Amino acid sequence: MNLRPCAIFFEMTVSEVRQRYLDFFEKRGHTVIPSAPIVPENDPTTLFTSSGMQPLVPYLLGQPHPEGSRIVNAQKCFRAEDIEEVGDNRHTTFFEMLGNWSLGDYFKKEQLAWFFEFMTSKEEGLGLDPRRLYVTVFNGDTESNMSADTASVEIWEKLFSEKNIDAKYIELDTEENAAEVGMQQGRIFAYGAKKNWWSRAGIPTKMPAGEIGGPDSEVFYDFGTPHDTKFGKECHPNCDCGRFVEIGNSVFMQFIKQKDGTFAELPKKNVDFGGGLERLTAAANHNPDIFSIDVFNDARMETNEKTKLFERKNISPQEYAEEFTEAYRIVLDHIRAATFMLASNITPSNTEQGYVLRRLIRRAFLKSRRIGAGEKIFVDIAATYAKAYKNTYPRLTQNLEKIQNELCKENEQFSKTLAKAIKGLWKLFNDDSKDLSEKMNGQILFKFFTTEGFPPELILEQYNNYRKQEKLS
């Protein structure tokens, strides 16, 4: 039974998509700027650069950019809040965000038309089928007296019309309503402030006086995969079933909040666009699994090879396939993120960036152990990423030996922690003075987690092993 994904080579690579995007906007008057470091400079309020706009906040707030009013780049990003999301077909912790910005220059008409052209043009862009593209817009907000973004709706209707596509407009407003009523053969969907408004403070009513923000318009690619009803009765662009994947978001910063709570239009309006490079590459190849793009090819093959003869016998084939798929995606993602962090001189520790790095490595360790790959595979996977990014991010190759040594060191340390904790757990299990239910209370589990660094899921695994042994005896 072969349940593992095969290595498939696609027409368009991450490097090709990145270069096409930069070239496209450079041709339209944008200056290409380099990626900022993954650890923000002179910003103690956040651990990592999590979006392309983050390093550009001073310029979006009005400071002149040294490179002019039109800029474009590919930014290295990391989002710690997505760690638990990794395992599906589209989430990663580390990613590259393609971004273009207008600092008081062009606005909605140019931005939406250019991105649509980049997505659909076979000559200069990705050559996506426009019939697979669906868009969302801002539906207004009654609490803040903000009107719906009808200007973006009109632009999208015109763009789809030029491709002979009927772009029906549907007001969904909330995800809950969308899951009830479905898409109704729509193409342009209006959601409320929670989905289609941007400001650093969130929705309009939460913005302080002096804060800028505005509506956004997101583009989703339809992979056509079956809808999973556990995510709602009906599918829609913001559904989490995996059929639709967001590939770009144009934020239109056009308002500033006044002291009296009302909003005024900014004298200079900005455009902040962000699109996930990996997701755009997956769309270009019409493959819903982001882990099938080229930068993961060698890492995926390494993982498949190391787990070729391993199989969990105590679960069904379908459960095994699902567990393997989730685990190998987590290993591929976490070690890629760890490789970039280590190349940026972050080392595992119990504080700040080092704590997040340690969590990634240890989580990958447990998942690789679960599917029989073993932690020694990490050094080989790191080498595949150094090779995949050697032309764009040479620091990975230059620091590969250090990266591999740190991975080995952290794994050795965690192995000792696990061995010690497992020994302590089994001593506790075999203590006849207490019932097993007493031994597994929250206080004891918390102690093992905080003092030994022993993850809850591994405590549960050892508990189940003990119960099985009890039954056999």
Side-chain angles (χ1 to χ4, degrees), residues 30 52-53 56 69-71 73 99-103 106 271-272:
H30 292 65
M53 62 80 64
L56 297 171
S69 60
R70 295 186 182 191
I71 50 179
N73 83 343
N100 63 273
W101 294 269
S102 165
L103 305 175
Y106 59 85
V271 171
D272 163 32

Side-chain angles (χ1 to χ4, degrees), residues 9-147:
F9 296 93
F10 298 105
E11 294 178 3
M12 201 166 285
T13 67
V14 162
S15 292
E16 288 169 341
V17 173
R18 185 194 301 111
Q19 196 58 54
R20 279 185 169 235
Y21 178 80
L22 296 175
D23 289 346
F24 182 92
F25 281 95
E26 187 175 29
K27 186 177 177 181
R28 286 152 183 82
H30 292 65
T31 300
V32 180
I33 60 172
S35 170
I38 199 169
V39 176
E41 297 174 318
N42 305 314
D43 184 0
T45 64
T46 183
L47 294 178
F48 298 100
T49 300
S50 61
S51 67
M53 62 80 64
Q54 192 173 322
L56 297 171
V57 167
Y59 311 108
L60 293 168
L61 293 174
Q63 183 178 321
H65 195 284
E67 297 296 341
S69 60
R70 295 186 182 191
I71 50 179
V72 62
N73 83 343
Q75 173 64 48
K76 301 187 297 293
C77 299
F78 178 82
R79 291 184 179 173
E81 63 269 27
D82 284 347
I83 286 177
E84 298 296 335
E85 299 292 331
V86 177
D88 62 17
N89 67 319
R90 61 201 180 280
H91 281 96
T92 60
T93 54
F94 172 87
F95 61 97
E96 288 184 77
M97 183 172 281
L98 301 179
N100 63 273
W101 294 269
S102 165
L103 305 175
D105 192 334
Y106 59 85
F107 205 47
K108 296 180 183 180
K109 186 172 75 170
E110 295 86 354
Q111 169 58 29
L112 297 181
W114 280 339
F115 185 52
F116 190 70
E117 183 182 1
F118 173 73
M119 290 187 294
T120 58
S121 170
K122 293 180 180 179
E123 292 74 25
E124 292 186 89
L126 304 182
L128 302 183
D129 181 353
R131 288 173 176 77
R132 291 195 172 273
L133 301 178
Y134 293 79
V135 301
T136 64
V137 295
F138 179 55
N139 197 33
D141 183 59
T142 54
E143 286 187 63
S144 57
N145 200 31
M146 295 297 300
S147 301

Side-chain angles (χ1 to χ4, degrees), residues 94-241:
F94 172 87
F95 61 97
E96 288 184 77
M97 183 172 281
L98 301 179
N100 63 273
W101 294 269
S102 165
L103 305 175
D105 192 334
Y106 59 85
F107 205 47
K108 296 180 183 180
K109 186 172 75 170
E110 295 86 354
Q111 169 58 29
L112 297 181
W114 280 339
F115 185 52
F116 190 70
E117 183 182 1
F118 173 73
M119 290 187 294
T120 58
S121 170
K122 293 180 180 179
E123 292 74 25
E124 292 186 89
L126 304 182
L128 302 183
D129 181 353
R131 288 173 176 77
R132 291 195 172 273
L133 301 178
Y134 293 79
V135 301
T136 64
V137 295
F138 179 55
N139 197 33
D141 183 59
T142 54
E143 286 187 63
S144 57
N145 200 31
M146 295 297 300
S147 301
D149 184 10
T150 56
S152 290
V153 174
E154 291 172 4
I155 294 167
W156 281 122
E157 286 175 339
K158 181 175 183 294
L159 291 169
F160 281 114
S161 174
E162 289 170 353
K163 298 287 185 181
N164 297 316
I165 297 172
D166 179 30
K168 186 180 177 183
Y169 173 70
I170 303 290
E171 293 185 16
L172 294 176
D173 196 46
T174 66
E175 290 180 82
E176 293 76 16
N177 181 59
E180 270 303 310
V181 303
M183 296 174 63
Q184 306 168 65
Q185 297 182 317
R187 178 75 54 179
I188 304 168
F189 301 92
Y191 289 83
K194 288 183 180 179
K195 297 305 297 182
N196 283 91
W197 175 272
W198 182 92
S199 82
R200 290 181 298 175
I203 60 176
T205 52
K206 290 189 176 181
M207 293 168 61
E211 181 72 13
I212 65 170
D216 64 47
S217 182
E218 299 177 328
V219 178
F220 294 80
Y221 184 82
D222 179 10
F223 284 103
T225 54
H227 174 60
D228 187 339
T229 54
K230 76 179 181 183
F231 296 101
K233 186 174 77 172
E234 299 289 342
C235 196
H236 58 101
N238 276 304
C239 180
D240 282 329
C241 73

Side-chain angles (χ1 to χ4, degrees), residues 362 366 369 413-429 440 444-456 458-463:
R362 292 187 172 189
L366 294 174
R369 181 176 178 269
Q413 182 178 331
F414 191 41
S415 293
K416 292 175 183 176
T417 297
L418 288 180
K420 180 182 175 183
I422 289 172
K423 186 177 180 181
L425 265 178
W426 280 73
K427 183 179 179 181
L428 176 68
F429 293 157
M440 288 295 288
I444 289 174
L445 298 183
F446 185 72
K447 172 183 173 291
F448 270 93
F449 177 63
T450 54
T451 61
E452 305 291 349
F454 203 62
L458 209 55
I459 294 175
L460 181 61
E461 180 186 297
Q462 293 300 317
Y463 172 74

Side-chain angles (χ1 to χ4, degrees), residues 337-436:
T339 300
F340 273 89
M341 286 187 190
L342 289 163
S344 301
N345 296 320
I346 303 171
T347 54
S349 71
N350 291 325
T351 60
E352 299 184 328
Q353 289 94 348
Y355 170 77
V356 178
L357 172 58
R358 172 161 285 167
R359 185 183 173 199
L360 287 171
I361 297 172
R362 292 187 172 189
R363 193 162 186 258
F365 179 104
L366 294 174
K367 292 300 179 181
S368 67
R369 181 176 178 269
R370 188 79 175 159
I371 60 175
E375 70 277 7
K376 291 181 181 177
I377 194 177
F378 292 177
V379 296
D380 297 326
I381 291 178
T384 69
Y385 291 136
K387 178 183 175 184
Y389 290 99
K390 66 180 179 180
N391 295 324
T392 310
Y393 300 114
R395 281 177 65 93
L396 271 62
T397 303
Q398 294 162 5
N399 292 281
L400 182 57
E401 185 176 352
K402 172 194 161 187
I403 292 167
Q404 292 174 319
N405 287 340
E406 286 290 345
L407 288 171
C408 288
K409 190 168 121 183
E410 183 63 19
N411 283 333
E412 286 173 11
Q413 182 178 331
F414 191 41
S415 293
K416 292 175 183 176
T417 297
L418 288 180
K420 180 182 175 183
I422 289 172
K423 186 177 180 181
L425 265 178
W426 280 73
K427 183 179 179 181
L428 176 68
F429 293 157
N430 288 307
D431 181 358
D432 294 331
S433 66
K434 295 179 181 177
D435 291 334
L436 195 57

